[in-house]
Amino acid sequence: MSGAGSRRVSALAVCAVLQGRSYARALNDAGHARLSRERQALASELAQGALRWQHRHREILRRLMDRPRPASRLDALLSVGLFQLSRTRIPAHAAVHACVAAAKELLSPAAARLVNAVLRRYLRERSQLEATADRRLEGRFSHPGWMIRRFQAGWPGHWESILRAGNRKPPLWLRVNRAKLGRHAYRMSLLNATAWSCGLPQGLPDGLRVDPPMPVSRLPGFSDGLVSVQDAGAQLAVPFLGARSGMRVLDACAAPGGKTAQLLETCPGMMELVALDSDAGRLDRLKENLDRLGLEANVCLGDALRPREWWDGRPFDRILLDAPCSATGVIRRHPDIKHLRRAQDIPRFARLQSRLLGSLWPLLKPGGRLLYSVCSVLPDETVRVIESFLRENVALAREVRRSDRVSISDRLSGAWALPLSSHGYQVLPGSRCADGHFNALLEKTAETQA
């Protein structure tokens, strides 16, 4: 396919996401796989960029068109064009030409003429149009208004940095499989194989940051299980849990298995690790990841809300609850979240998170610990869920406070996370180039068997 093919595929994917489809499915349905490998990378970059800056593009298109229609193929293609002209190094004439050609394939000759006129007018009036877009918060920060208001309310001193982080391209974070080699040794193999730079962050024992990101196919030893892709924020949860040799551990909502594998790599002497998920397809991905890494777990298909259907009655020493959430902490990796999430989704997630805590708590031994982890930055899904649980279980649970945490958790929290005044630790998006994550550790009081 020509350059027009990449623009056509990206525009179709953007349009489908704006109509409510998931990004992965939208890209597949748009014909991404039929492009060459090089053009696949370009189409993905253009689609993600257009989705990332869609709210800003809407402000600009309102001034360039009489009747913009955000979820139409035409506006999606124009958004792809605006992204190219404003935030890539693609020459302006090549970007406009490719979008015009894509409009002819995708729409009509009349639409192609309109695309040409709109993009060329943007080039002539760019400074004024960009300044006008900055006047509204949705245009300046390119997030939906309801989300901006939530960030302002929840993080009055940090909301702007959270929004800016959500618009940055994410780095590639790796977790080196310490069961096979150390990260210094892997870093040397990576430097010998590529010209990329590799950062060794303090306080993240197995973490490695690679700039710029590269396909996993180019990572030395990836197929042999030497390394996995996992963001720095996600890597912090397992050390907080404090699993040790001889323990029986439950990883609830485990798929696709990043934290499952990390538990097995960092604590090989566990009595048993049960990796639970209710989605059979996602569990298949978990098994594939464990096979690649040479790891074994008791992989279990089941609903964490219905333990009677899968639990054998033996309590767990540790439970990791990586709960479903709004994913507002990982928007930079998944810009479709801006378009697929709605304000009314947040109370629904919070109710589910509370139900999961209540369902899994009876499975924990007295003296055992449960780690609640979400990739959200919204208080309704983080501190308020924990506060509500502790109020309802005041005689049965306590928060594991800083003085009680294992030493590695203190080192991690001090280097990466923001300790909250009430409950838990929050990694804010963009903090040390990490995604946003929240972790709270709860202990079942030993004097009760409830």
Side-chain angles (χ1 to χ4, degrees):
M1 287 185 178
S2 67
S6 299
R7 279 70 176 183
R8 181 178 63 80
V9 167
S10 58
L12 286 172
V14 169
C15 183
V17 169
L18 297 180
Q19 293 174 353
R21 200 173 306 174
S22 71
Y23 175 71
R25 180 183 171 189
L27 202 61
N28 180 69
D29 292 349
H32 186 255
R34 294 194 293 275
L35 297 172
S36 67
R37 182 170 297 183
E38 180 182 356
R39 296 199 183 281
Q40 283 181 358
L42 176 60
S44 298
E45 179 185 0
L46 297 180
Q48 290 224 342
L51 289 170
R52 187 172 284 122
W53 294 102
Q54 180 67 208
H55 293 85
R56 184 173 183 83
H57 293 166
R58 289 177 188 173
E59 294 296 318
I60 293 172
L61 289 176
R62 284 195 186 108
R63 288 153 181 82
L64 291 174
M65 301 175 68
D66 292 333
R67 288 176 294 178
R69 293 178 297 162
S72 69
R73 291 183 174 184
L74 173 61
D75 279 23
L77 181 57
L78 285 168
S79 185
V80 170
L82 290 175
F83 172 69
Q84 290 178 96
L85 295 174
S86 61
R87 301 185 185 274
T88 74
R89 296 181 179 180
I90 299 171
H93 69 277
V96 173
H97 176 79
C99 285
V100 170
K104 290 177 182 177
E105 293 181 10
L106 189 61
L107 299 164
S108 68
R113 290 191 293 273
L114 179 58
V115 167
N116 183 65
V118 168
L119 294 181
R120 292 192 182 281
R121 183 183 166 195
Y122 168 78
L123 288 171
R124 292 193 304 270
E125 304 175 16
R126 177 174 176 173
S127 297
Q128 180 181 348
L129 290 165
E130 297 284 355
T132 302
D134 280 336
R135 293 174 187 168
R136 297 187 70 237
L137 289 180
E138 287 192 39
R140 187 188 317 163
F141 294 106
S142 200
H143 281 65
W146 72 266
M147 196 176 286
I148 294 173
R149 291 188 290 274
R150 290 283 184 128
F151 291 158
Q152 288 174 320
W155 295 97
H158 299 274
W159 65 273
E160 291 189 46
S161 64
I162 292 172
L163 291 166
R164 291 193 181 98
N167 288 329
R168 296 192 189 105
K169 290 180 66 174
L172 174 64
W173 279 101
L174 304 178
R175 187 190 72 250
V176 179
N177 185 350
R178 69 166 67 173
K180 297 191 175 186
L181 81 169
R183 65 172 183 166
H184 286 277
Y186 185 80
R187 177 177 180 266
M188 292 307 301
S189 68
L190 191 59
L191 290 175
N192 290 334
T194 71
W196 272 250
S197 66
C198 307
L200 293 173
Q202 294 182 349
L204 205 64
D206 304 307
L208 192 67
R209 194 180 83 199
V210 181
D211 294 312
M214 68 173 72
V216 294
S217 59
R218 297 188 60 185
L219 293 171
F222 180 82
S223 60
D224 299 323
L226 298 186
V227 67
S228 297
V229 176
Q230 187 182 37
D231 185 80
Q235 290 186 44
L236 296 174
V238 165
F240 276 120
L241 184 62
R244 297 193 298 273
S245 178
M247 287 185 170
R248 189 165 191 254
V249 179
L250 171 65
D251 183 2
C253 311
K259 294 183 179 68
T260 306
Q262 188 181 6
L263 276 164
L264 292 166
E265 291 169 5
T266 57
C267 190
M270 286 182 290
M271 178 190 301
E272 183 184 22
L273 174 60
V274 178
L276 176 77
D277 206 275
S278 60
D279 188 315
R282 285 169 55 84
L283 271 184
D284 287 340
R285 288 181 57 198
L286 182 147
K287 293 175 185 176
E288 291 171 1
N289 285 328
L290 294 185
D291 288 344
R292 180 180 62 82
L293 295 164
L295 302 170
E296 293 184 3
N298 180 1
V299 179
C300 180
L301 178 64
D303 188 343
L305 291 173
R306 297 179 176 84
R308 291 183 179 180
E309 297 178 1
W310 52 268
W311 184 43
D312 62 7
R314 293 183 295 152
F316 295 96
D317 299 281
R318 296 287 187 268
I319 295 177
L320 170 59
L321 172 55
D322 194 358
C325 68
S326 65
T328 46
V330 295
I331 286 175
R332 65 178 186 168
R333 295 192 183 278
H334 305 284
D336 54 327
I337 291 169
K338 296 182 185 181
H339 311 287
L340 300 179
R341 291 285 180 267
R342 299 289 182 269
Q344 57 266 32
D345 294 334
I346 308 307
R348 178 173 58 83
F349 277 120
R351 288 192 295 270
L352 174 59
Q353 292 150 2
S354 295
R355 290 178 62 206
L356 285 166
L357 275 172
S359 176
L360 294 173
W361 190 251
L363 281 57
L364 189 65
K365 284 182 179 179
R369 293 181 174 185
L370 182 152
L371 181 70
Y372 174 78
S373 182
V374 287
C375 55
S376 174
V377 294
L378 299 178
D380 284 352
E381 299 179 272
T382 58
V383 292
R384 289 172 192 159
V385 169
I386 298 302
E387 288 169 350
S388 175
F389 178 78
L390 290 174
R391 281 197 303 270
E392 294 171 4
N393 298 275
V394 63
L396 311 180
R398 71 183 184 97
E399 181 193 9
V400 181
R401 299 189 181 276
R402 187 175 182 84
S403 60
D404 301 318
R405 295 183 190 274
V406 293
S407 60
I408 192 170
S409 296
D410 279 339
R411 292 203 304 273
L412 288 173
S413 64
W416 292 85
L418 187 68
L420 304 182
S421 58
S422 53
H423 306 293
Y425 287 79
Q426 179 77 61
V427 181
L428 292 178
S431 174
R432 301 190 67 177
C433 294
D435 288 341
H437 282 78
F438 171 84
N439 293 297
L441 191 62
L442 305 174
E443 182 177 280
K444 179 175 282 190
T445 54
E447 57 268 20
T448 178
Q449 298 292 321

